[in-house]
Structure formats: C-alpha cells, structure tokens
Amino acid sequence: AVGQPEVECEALELHGRVAPDAAAARPFFERAAALAARHGLAGWQLRAQHELALLAWPAGDLGPMRATRELAARHGALVTVAVMDLSLADVALGAFDRDGCLEAASRCAHASRRLGLATEPVAHLWLAGAHALAGDDAAMRAAADDALRRDPDDPRILGDLYGRVLATRAFVADDLPALPTLLDTMMEHVRRADPATSVFPGRVLWATLRTIDDPDLGAAARAEHAAAVDRIGMPVFAHAHDVVEAVALGRAGDAGGAAALLARALDGARRTRLGLGMRYAQLLLVARAAVRDGWGEPVAWLRECEAFFAAGGYARTARRCRLLLGEAGAPVPRRGRGTSTVPVGLRALGVTSREVDVLALVAGGLTNREVAARLHLSPRTVERHVGTLLDRTGAGDRAALREVARRHGVQTG
C-alpha cells in the first residue's frame, strides 16, 4: 500500500516463516525473491533465496542451495556463502561423497577461520568426515581436534563426531564391530545436546543396531528414535524409522509384514538422494540381519549395497557385501572383462562391465555380428551376453534394452 518493496519483502518473509508447512511457505519466499530481484534489493533477495534453499534441502534438492551460494558470492555476502558451504558439506558427507565433502568443508573452514564465524567448529567436523571417507585417519583426527578446540565438551560436536564421522569411518574401513560402542557413545552426547542444534543422523544406525541385537527388539531405542523423528519432521528420517520397524517385525516372526514395510520405506527413500550413503549403510546392516532372521530379500539388498559402495570406491565395504552374499548362498558380482564403468543400478542387477560394453553397442543399433567385430568377440558370445542382459534387466527385446541404457546413462555407440 505504501509502495515500499522492502516492507513487502519483510511481510512476505514473515508469512513464509509462520506458514504451517513447506508447501505453504514456498510461494511467499518465491514472491519475495522475485520482488527483491525486480527492485535490485540484493539483501532481501538473498534472504528469500536462503529460505527457499532450506525448504528444498530435506527433499535432496541442492539446486536452490547452490544458487543461493552463487548469489551470496556475487554480492559479497561471505557469511551466507560459508553457511551454504557448511550445508553442502553436510549433504555430501551423508551421501558418502568424499570429494564434494572435502571441497565444501575446506572452503567453509577457511572462511570461518578468516572471518571468525560460528560455523568453524562444524566446518572442521565435516572436514573430519571427508577425511574419514578418504581413509586418512591422521587428517581425520586433526580436523576433529580443531572441531573441539573452542569447546572440548560440546555435545553437538561430540554427538556427530561419534555418530557420523567415526561411524562413517567404521563403514568404509569395514570395521562393523566398532559400531555399537561408537553409536552408544554418540547417544550419551545426543541426550545432553539441545534438540535444535542437530538432527543427528547417526541415531538411525543406533536404533537399527539396537533393534537387530537387543533381546526386546530394541523397544526403548525404537521409542526414543520415533520421538526424535516426529520432532524433526523430515520424510527421510521417517522412511529410515520404518526400516527399523521392519527389522523388529522380521525378528518377531512376521516375515510378510516386515518385507512389505521395508519395501514401502525403500520406495519412499528412493525419491530423494539425501543421505544416500547413510541409507545404504543402514540397508547393509538390515540385510545382514535379514539373512540371519530369514525374512525379506537380503540378497537383492546386498547387491544394491555392493553396487553403491563399489561405484564410490569403497572397496572394503563392497567386499563385505560380497562376502555376505556368499554366506547367503548367492552368486557374487563380478567385474567382467570389459572397459565400461557399470552404473550402480545395473551392477545391483549383476550386470558386468563386458555386458555394459555390449549394451552400449546394442542400444546404438548394432547387430550381434557388428558388436562382435567391434569388441573382438565371437557372435555366439555376444548373443549370450544379450540374452543375459535381457534376463537381468527384465527387458523384452533389443528395443527395450535401448531404454534400459538410456535410463542408466549408458553412452551408446
């Protein structure tokens, strides 16, 4: 009414912040961002973009976060740049993306130290996580020390140190026996921390292990975790808790109910890439328990885990998956003699690198004889590979194999 866009931006921001949920809040922040851009109000545009980034993060959409960082860097808003880098490092750690975590955490740690920002301890913590993923124990310990330098008894830092950094290191080093002690220690610090300071993703693994191993099916841990999930309100944690409940059903003898609940949970979880590494870490533990307890499809889950860890270069964890597959009496995935990288989704189906070589050429329209000539194989060998591809992917014919190649990003030729 008064023709002051700054006032309108502030009003829109207020509406967005008091909205009942993300869907209701997003239009207010989008209007504020557009209005601020139209009137050259960089500060208000950045505030609105920051809110949109926070709304998109739980669904695994990092586009708004990266856009906010670029906008902040363009306008010299260095604090916002650091906050976005901190968030990007957090997401990368949860995805077991060591390079992305190292890059974002290093940037944030450097800026935080130079500008004296409150983000510095957590930046060093995520930097420790990047070194954990890379298997550099000395650098991990040094970064963890830096994270605790301001306050050696900070429960927020200690909780995620044990529940994320050290737990992640246990997974990539194939030191699964260390997990129970690490996660129990994490929970001692989590219970001391302000609930608003972290979502503490390690609680997922703690509740999972308690449900797998405790005589009472982890009843107390499941209840404590459920309360935290309700408080956080993020779908990714709700799906993970359903996985925990599926384990309890499986141990109680309800194999059908357990399998159905886990299938629904995994279907929901696959709609986002947020926490991808933690998801496969949990699934590895669940698959191992399901083999023991006789429910679900642990062989399929282990194949999926093996594909993820192998593609990420986590050789020890991938080997653990293959050992568990062997113990379950299932064929162990082979690399094959080809030159192609096997996409995670195809590796989970047992497709080898040589079969991807064949798939790429078949999808490019070549006949079996032409594929054989290109790869220096016999036509009969190519025919066998094509038949295996049809069986493993469920494709009905060569045309369907072209769609399989497209869906998994296989370059045709």
Side-chain angles (χ1 to χ4, degrees):
V2 297
Q4 296 183 37
E6 297 95 333
V7 175
E8 189 174 352
C9 284
E10 186 169 4
L12 288 167
E13 182 183 280
L14 180 60
H15 275 295
R17 289 192 173 187
V18 301
D21 53 42
R26 187 172 290 107
F28 290 111
F29 295 126
E30 288 173 344
R31 283 173 57 192
L35 178 67
R38 199 159 58 244
H39 290 275
L41 304 173
W44 282 108
Q45 183 183 3
L46 191 54
R47 288 169 69 109
Q49 287 293 140
H50 192 170
E51 296 288 352
L52 288 169
L54 293 175
L55 291 177
W57 170 68
D61 181 5
L62 303 186
M65 195 176 290
R66 294 192 177 99
T68 300
R69 188 194 184 280
E70 291 174 9
L71 180 66
R74 202 158 57 240
H75 290 289
L78 301 183
V79 174
T80 301
V81 171
V83 170
M84 291 297 100
D85 278 334
L86 190 71
S87 299
L88 289 169
D90 182 356
V91 172
L93 176 57
F96 281 30
D97 174 7
R98 55 181 169 270
D99 294 336
C101 186
L102 180 62
E103 181 182 355
S106 297
R107 286 195 310 252
C108 186
H110 176 73
S112 299
R113 187 183 304 111
R114 182 164 57 89
L115 301 172
L117 303 180
T119 48
E120 185 176 356
V122 181
H124 287 297
L125 184 64
W126 297 161
L127 189 57
H131 293 312
L133 288 169
D136 189 339
D137 289 345
M140 177 188 71
R141 286 192 292 269
D145 289 343
D146 286 337
L148 289 165
R149 198 170 305 282
R150 289 187 184 180
D151 181 0
D153 193 42
D154 186 341
R156 169 194 57 161
I157 300 296
L158 289 167
D160 276 330
L161 173 61
Y162 283 93
R164 291 194 71 183
V165 174
L166 297 178
T168 295
R169 181 68 186 116
F171 268 101
V172 300
D174 189 28
D175 187 14
L176 299 187
L179 281 174
T181 299
L182 291 173
L183 297 173
D184 284 345
T185 304
M186 170 201 70
M187 287 304 299
E188 293 173 9
H189 298 299
V190 167
R191 293 178 183 122
R192 295 192 299 122
D194 182 337
T197 60
S198 176
V199 294
F200 296 114
R203 279 186 290 210
V204 169
L205 301 178
W206 171 75
T208 303
L209 279 182
R210 284 295 186 182
T211 305
I212 288 171
D213 294 329
D214 285 2
D216 65 350
L217 311 183
R222 284 159 48 212
E224 186 173 354
H225 187 245
V229 169
D230 287 343
R231 186 170 61 250
I232 294 167
M234 290 174 60
V236 66
F237 289 107
H239 297 317
H241 186 71
D242 283 343
V243 172
V244 173
E245 293 298 323
V247 172
L249 289 175
R251 283 194 66 194
D254 185 359
L261 181 56
L262 189 74
R264 289 196 300 272
L266 292 180
D267 183 59
R270 286 174 181 138
R271 296 172 191 167
T272 175
R273 293 188 63 79
L274 188 66
L276 198 60
M278 293 293 281
R279 185 196 315 165
Y280 281 111
Q282 182 190 29
L283 190 59
L284 171 55
L285 298 176
V286 170
R288 186 177 63 169
V291 170
R292 178 196 70 188
D293 298 331
W295 65 275
E297 301 178 17
V299 168
W301 305 333
L302 286 169
R303 287 193 182 282
E304 196 173 337
C305 291
E306 194 275 342
F308 172 80
F309 290 117
Y314 300 111
R316 291 180 179 179
T317 320
R319 179 175 178 274
R320 172 58 51 192
C321 294
R322 292 193 291 273
L323 288 173
L324 290 170
L325 280 167
E327 291 172 10
V332 177
R334 297 178 296 110
R335 186 195 181 281
R337 298 180 180 178
T339 60
S340 297
T341 299
V342 184
V344 171
L346 292 178
R347 186 179 176 91
L349 298 175
V351 175
T352 67
S353 58
R354 176 60 84 195
E355 288 161 357
V356 175
D357 291 344
V358 172
L359 175 62
L361 297 175
V362 168
L366 275 65
T367 66
N368 285 0
R369 189 168 295 279
E370 290 169 332
V371 172
R374 184 80 67 88
L375 297 179
H376 306 291
L377 301 172
S378 72
R380 185 176 295 277
T381 297
V382 172
E383 182 180 349
R384 187 173 70 250
H385 283 316
V386 171
T388 301
L389 284 165
L390 292 171
D391 289 341
R392 286 178 172 162
T393 64
D397 52 30
R398 296 171 81 92
L401 284 178
R402 284 196 291 274
E403 173 57 23
V404 168
R406 184 200 65 77
R407 190 167 64 248
H408 290 279
V410 175
Q411 295 297 314
T412 61

